[in-house]
């Protein structure tokens, strides 16, 4: 019994000692009341940090949803895609494929028409100095006058050629084309003073040919030397017989014979550059007379730079539709 009382007193002393000597936080927090309860602190989650790539993709996605990409149907697009649309329509001529191709073609035609109209307006106004009219007239009343001038200017050039060589006209008496060619050869001889030698390949004579201007190739050696394959054939031969140039194989017009004759004589250095140019169908504008056109690399994208560079080089003094005007002479 005494032992039980002793153990009870010992336990009570130990309990009181632990309460009063331990942490008194419970009593210090008495202002909160006897029934207060604190929940454990909640850990805050750190916000998710997105990479620049993810942000950029989101921005592009938003922009794509709000502003769809548009493709301009311009000349470059039409150039690249009309052949594709055409092949699709040929391989599968459905209404959709035909409609796509002819729609693109319609746009291209309208753009071309607009370009042509604007070009006509440009040459009629500020771009007249670039017109082909200053090289060769295109209107009939000026073109006929230009042809007459060319014939007159060609006459002394052809006469000079006749002093250094002549035409050998190879023919056969049974050739119908030779008979049609003969009047033109007589014009060259009588009007332009070009020496013409008629070479008979079969021993016959065509009516109207001067007998003193005919030679007969009875052996065929001359025809072999000049590689004659058809009649008539016209060849330009120097007076010494050392050089020759083919003018025409078969019948040819007077204009074609004159043009080829002058071109070959120029190649053979029988006439000067000035004489050659005076007898041409097209006059030179001399845009490249002093070398190629050059502009600064930094200004090449400026459209007015090339225009001004060419304007300063073009010479219209030989224009077939106007008379050269010298302002300095007028000021004197």
């Amino acid at each position: 019994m005494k032992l039980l009382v002793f153990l009870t007193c010992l336990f009570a002393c130990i309990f009181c000692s632990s309460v009063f000597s331990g942490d008194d936080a419970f009593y210090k927090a008495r202002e909160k009341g006897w029934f207060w309860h604190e929940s454990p602190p909640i850990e805050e989650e750190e916000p998710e940090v997105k990479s620049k790539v993810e942000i950029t993709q989101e921005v592009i996605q938003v922009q794509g949803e709000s502003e769809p990409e548009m493709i301009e149907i311009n000349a470059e697009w039409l150039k690249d895609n009309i052949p594709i649309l055409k092949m699709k329509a040929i391989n599968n001529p459905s209404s959709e494929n035909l409609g796509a191709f002819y729609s693109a073609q319609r746009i291209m035609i309208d753009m071309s028409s607009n370009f042509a109209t604007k070009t006509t307006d440009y040459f009629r106004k500020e771009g007249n100095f670039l017109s082909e009219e200053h090289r060769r007239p295109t209107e009939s009343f000026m073109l006929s006058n230009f042809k007459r001038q060319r014939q007159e200017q060609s006459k002394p050039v052809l006469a000079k050629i006749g002093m250094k060589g002549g035409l050998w006209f190879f023919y056969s008496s049974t050739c119908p084309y030779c008979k049609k060619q003969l009047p033109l050869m007589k014009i060259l001889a009588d009007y332009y003073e070009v020496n013409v030698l008629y070479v008979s390949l079969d021993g016959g004579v065509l009516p109207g040919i001067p007998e003193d201007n005919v030679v007969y190739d009875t052996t065929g050696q001359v025809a072999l030397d000049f590689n004659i394959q058809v009649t008539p054939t016209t060849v330009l031969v120097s007076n010494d017989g050392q050089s020759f140039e083919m003018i025409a194989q078969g019948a040819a017009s007077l204009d074609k014979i004159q043009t080829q004759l002058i071109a070959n004589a120029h190649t053979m250095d029988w006439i000067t550059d000035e004489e050659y140019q005076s007898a041409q169908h097209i006059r030179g504008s001399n845009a490249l007379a002093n070398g190629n056109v050059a502009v600064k690399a930094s200004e090449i994208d400026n459209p007015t730079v090339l225009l001004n560079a060419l304007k300063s080089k073009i010479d219209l003094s030989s224009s077939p539709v106007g008379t050269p005007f010298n302002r300095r002479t007028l000021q004197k």
Side-chain angles (χ1 to χ4, degrees):
M1 183 67 180
K2 291 181 180 180
L3 179 60
L4 179 61
V5 173
F6 174 77
L7 293 174
T8 301
C9 292
L10 179 61
F11 176 78
C13 290
I14 294 172
F15 175 78
C16 292
S17 174
S18 64
V19 170
F20 290 103
S21 62
D23 187 9
D24 60 349
F26 174 79
Y27 294 98
K28 292 182 180 179
R30 60 179 178 272
E31 291 84 359
K32 297 181 180 181
W34 297 105
F35 301 99
W36 60 270
H37 173 74
E38 290 183 354
S39 300
I42 300 175
E43 297 182 357
E44 295 183 359
E45 297 181 358
E46 296 183 359
E48 181 181 359
V49 179
K50 297 183 179 180
S51 65
K52 292 183 178 180
V53 176
E54 293 175 335
I55 295 175
T56 304
Q57 290 177 346
E58 291 181 0
V59 171
I60 294 175
Q61 182 177 3
V62 172
Q63 291 178 347
E65 294 175 355
S66 59
E67 298 180 1
E69 181 183 2
M70 302 297 291
I71 297 178
E72 181 182 0
I73 308 301
N74 52 25
E76 290 79 7
W77 188 93
L78 292 170
K79 177 184 177 182
D80 295 337
N81 289 276
I82 280 183
I84 299 175
L85 296 175
K86 182 179 180 180
M87 288 299 100
K88 286 184 178 180
I90 292 175
N91 292 328
N92 181 19
S94 63
S95 299
E96 294 78 7
N97 290 341
L98 290 171
F101 167 65
Y102 285 110
S103 295
Q105 186 182 70
R106 178 74 266 171
I107 296 174
M108 177 59 79
I109 292 174
D110 289 349
M111 292 176 68
S112 300
S113 298
N114 183 53
F115 175 77
T117 301
K118 295 295 184 181
T119 298
T120 302
D121 293 340
Y122 175 75
F123 279 105
R124 189 173 61 248
K125 299 174 183 177
E126 62 267 25
N128 183 263
F129 74 100
L130 294 172
S131 174
E132 193 67 11
E133 287 278 345
H134 296 293
R135 285 163 43 86
R136 176 181 171 85
T138 56
E139 297 183 3
S140 58
F141 84 102
M142 287 301 301
L143 183 58
S144 59
N145 181 64
F146 175 73
K147 289 181 178 179
R148 286 193 299 268
Q149 289 180 355
R150 177 177 174 271
Q151 289 178 354
E152 293 299 324
Q153 292 170 345
S154 299
K155 189 174 181 179
V157 177
L158 292 172
K160 183 178 179 179
I161 295 173
M163 297 174 62
K164 298 186 178 183
L167 295 177
W168 288 18
F169 181 71
F170 293 86
Y171 74 94
S172 62
S173 59
T174 59
C175 171
Y177 304 103
C178 299
K179 295 178 181 179
K180 293 183 178 181
Q181 188 74 63
L182 183 58
L184 302 183
M185 304 307 296
K186 295 185 68 176
I187 292 176
L188 288 170
D190 298 339
Y191 182 76
Y192 291 103
E193 302 179 7
V194 176
N195 297 321
V196 179
L197 179 67
Y198 300 90
V199 183
S200 175
L201 301 180
D202 62 353
V205 178
L206 292 177
I209 294 180
E211 294 183 1
D212 57 343
N213 283 354
V214 179
V215 296
Y216 302 94
D217 183 22
T218 56
T219 63
Q221 185 61 47
V222 178
L224 182 63
D225 292 340
F226 284 89
N227 192 28
I228 303 301
Q229 300 181 16
V230 298
T231 55
T233 293
T234 307
V235 181
L236 175 63
V237 184
S238 62
N239 289 334
D240 58 8
Q242 297 300 313
S243 58
F244 62 91
E245 292 286 345
M246 184 67 66
I247 299 298
Q249 291 180 302
S253 65
L254 178 61
D255 186 72
K256 181 178 180 180
I257 294 175
Q258 287 179 324
T259 301
Q260 194 62 42
L261 176 57
I262 293 173
N264 287 351
H266 182 250
T267 302
M268 300 165 72
D269 293 327
W270 290 4
I271 58 176
T272 65
D273 293 340
E274 292 75 14
E275 291 170 332
Y276 172 74
Q277 289 294 337
S278 68
Q280 294 305 296
H281 288 282
I282 299 177
R283 303 283 178 83
S285 60
N286 296 326
L288 304 179
N290 299 320
N292 294 333
V293 178
V295 298
K296 295 180 180 179
S298 59
E299 299 177 348
I300 190 62
D301 293 331
N302 187 342
T304 60
V305 171
L306 181 59
L307 176 64
N308 293 332
L310 192 61
K311 186 182 295 185
S312 63
K313 294 178 68 68
I314 285 185
D315 180 11
L316 301 182
S317 60
S318 61
S319 173
V321 295
T323 301
F325 173 70
N326 193 331
R327 186 173 302 172
R328 295 179 179 178
T329 304
L330 181 64
Q331 291 176 350
K332 292 181 179 179

